[in-house]
């Protein structure tokens, strides 16, 4: 069997990470064994794959002494294996620590022994604390993709994330542009990618099909498989799978970032 592909997707909260990774997982599930790991305290990465929210590892650990694999590992669309790390109550404790605990438990319960061919981590990126870097720092993930739109805050977060990636000397595989529909959006994101020494690996248009499928707790891939939007996720999944070009990013300096952003206004 070929080597497992370990992908981490980072980005600002609300930018569209979970939507993208759940659709990627659904796309890969057509011909691969997939493990999808939510590492966001929001714990909704896997909702559209399983069809409902699943219990988080941290919550289960609070409730039970002898946690079994079945307590935390759930199967969804296309037999995708799903887990959610969860996080502490807001204002209490470090959310990143939750990710560490979750990863340790996955190892202990031999979840990785299920031999997934693709493992996808969905990681919140605006809090660049040590814990959130876990999938990268502990060598769980080999390649990172950053999701951003052309908006200031999303790019600002993307730039910060690239600082973290550089520090960990990790492999950035590219930037995913999840469109919000602002002026010159793809151009802005392409220029940003270029400036940090990377490239745009995929562009996902804004589409009402995302909300329509989300309401039913389904991915676009499942609910609207024959649409342009599904095709975009499918195409992105193939590009990421075939990607061989990785860089250690060179983040933009703060002053230069302001200047960069102004040139597009
Ligand atoms: P994150 O995981 O980064 O916090 P989500 O994937 O949960 O973000 O997306 C946040 C919101 O944006 C969701 O309500 C989702 O429906 C919406 N969304 C994401 N991508 C798109 C898109 N391409 N078109 C329209 N809405 C989108
Ligand atoms: Mg999310």
């Amino acid at each position: 069997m070929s080597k497992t592909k370990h992908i981490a997707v980072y980005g600002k909260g609300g930018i569209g990470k979970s939507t993208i990774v759940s659709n990627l997982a659904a796309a890969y599930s057509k011909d691969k064994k997939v493990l999808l790991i939510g590492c966001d305290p929001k714990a909704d990465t896997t909702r559209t794959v399983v069809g409902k929210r699943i219990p988080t590892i941290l919550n289960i650990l609070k409730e039970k002494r002898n946690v079994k694999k079945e307590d935390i590992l759930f199967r969804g669309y296309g037999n995708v294996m799903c887990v959610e790390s969860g996080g502490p109550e807001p204002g209490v404790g470090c959310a990143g620590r939750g990710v560490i605990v979750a990863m340790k438990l996955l190892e202990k319960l031999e979840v990785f022994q299920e031999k997934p061919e693709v493992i996808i981590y969905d990681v919140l990126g605006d809090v660049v604390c040590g814990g959130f870097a876990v999938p990268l720092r502990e060598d769980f993930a080999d390649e990172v993709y950053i999701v951003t739109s052309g908006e200031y805050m999303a790019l600002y977060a993307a730039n910060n994330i690239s600082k973290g990636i550089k520090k960990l000397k990790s492999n950035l595989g590219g930037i995913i542009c999840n469109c919000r529909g602002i002026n010159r959006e793809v151009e802005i994101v392409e220029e940003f990618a270029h400036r940090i020494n990377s490239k745009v690996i995929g562009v996902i248009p804004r589409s009402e099909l995302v909300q329509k499928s989300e309401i039913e707790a389904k991915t676009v891939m499942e609910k609207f498989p024959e649409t342009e939007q599904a095709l975009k996720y499918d195409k992105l999944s193939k590009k990421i799978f075939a990607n061989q070009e990785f860089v250690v990013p060179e983040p933009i300096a703060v002053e230069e970032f302001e200047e960069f952003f102004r040139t597009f206004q």
Side-chain angles (χ1 to χ4, degrees):
M1 201 187 78
S2 61
K3 193 177 165 290
T4 306
K5 190 153 173 103
H6 298 257
I7 305 164
V9 176
Y10 278 73
K12 175 187 172 296
I15 199 59
K17 296 178 297 296
S18 299
T19 307
I20 287 172
V21 298
S22 56
N23 279 289
L24 288 180
Y28 288 132
S29 77
K30 286 181 204 166
D31 55 5
K32 293 176 187 71
K33 248 174 129 172
V34 188
L35 171 60
L36 179 58
I37 305 180
C39 303
D40 185 329
K42 236 198 302 175
D44 61 355
T45 296
T46 60
R47 176 181 164 268
T48 53
V49 179
V50 182
K52 59 175 188 219
R53 278 180 171 269
I54 62 171
T56 70
I57 292 182
L58 287 193
N59 279 342
I60 294 283
L61 280 172
K62 259 190 257 165
E63 287 162 16
K64 276 184 96 168
R65 267 176 174 271
N66 199 0
V67 178
K68 299 203 170 62
K69 205 194 277 187
E70 311 85 80
D71 298 323
I72 53 127
L73 184 66
F74 296 80
R75 301 261 174 181
Y77 174 81
N79 219 19
V80 172
M81 295 179 275
C82 297
V83 297
E84 294 281 352
S85 73
E89 299 295 315
V92 191
C94 163
R97 225 190 70 77
V99 179
I100 301 177
V101 173
M103 301 308 295
K104 293 255 152 74
L105 186 70
L106 291 182
E107 280 189 323
K108 189 176 142 219
L109 297 179
E110 301 187 337
V111 169
F112 298 108
Q113 256 78 307
E114 300 277 337
K115 300 217 185 315
E117 291 155 276
V118 186
I119 305 178
I120 312 174
Y121 298 87
D122 175 8
V123 197
L124 181 66
D126 15 20
V127 195
V128 197
C129 87
F132 280 108
V134 170
L136 289 181
R137 201 188 60 212
E138 305 291 316
D139 275 341
F140 284 109
D142 306 317
E143 53 193 90
V144 196
Y145 297 86
I146 305 175
V147 180
T148 185
S149 65
E151 291 163 302
Y152 178 88
M153 288 312 290
L155 286 165
Y156 190 84
N159 195 45
N160 269 343
I161 292 162
S162 74
K163 282 182 200 163
I165 298 172
K166 182 183 178 188
K167 198 158 264 165
L168 294 165
K169 297 192 176 56
S170 295
N171 297 322
L172 178 61
I175 308 291
I176 301 165
C177 176
N178 195 41
C179 295
R180 283 294 160 119
I182 67 166
N183 255 344
R184 300 172 73 186
E185 188 157 34
V186 177
E187 209 187 321
I188 296 173
V189 177
E190 271 176 351
E191 178 60 20
F192 169 77
H194 176 70
R195 294 249 193 141
I196 67 164
N197 202 22
S198 185
K199 63 177 188 250
V200 171
I201 194 159
V203 176
I204 304 292
R206 192 168 177 79
S207 161
E208 58 172 22
L209 297 183
V210 172
Q211 270 82 26
K212 283 193 174 151
S213 49
E214 194 175 62
I215 289 168
E216 293 187 29
K218 290 193 164 85
T219 56
V220 174
M221 295 299 293
E222 178 181 7
K223 178 76 185 159
F224 302 108
E226 305 299 334
T227 57
E228 267 303 301
Q229 190 72 4
L231 201 67
K232 298 280 182 195
Y233 292 117
D234 200 53
K235 225 174 111 185
L236 177 64
S237 75
K238 294 197 169 85
K239 277 195 99 169
I240 289 179
F241 203 80
N243 188 28
Q244 299 287 345
E245 271 175 52
F246 304 103
V247 299
V248 174
E250 198 47 65
I252 306 176
V254 181
E255 317 79 57
E256 195 193 329
F257 184 83
E258 295 292 325
E259 176 267 319
F260 155 77
F261 204 75
R262 269 198 299 272
T263 57
F264 286 98
Q265 301 313 300

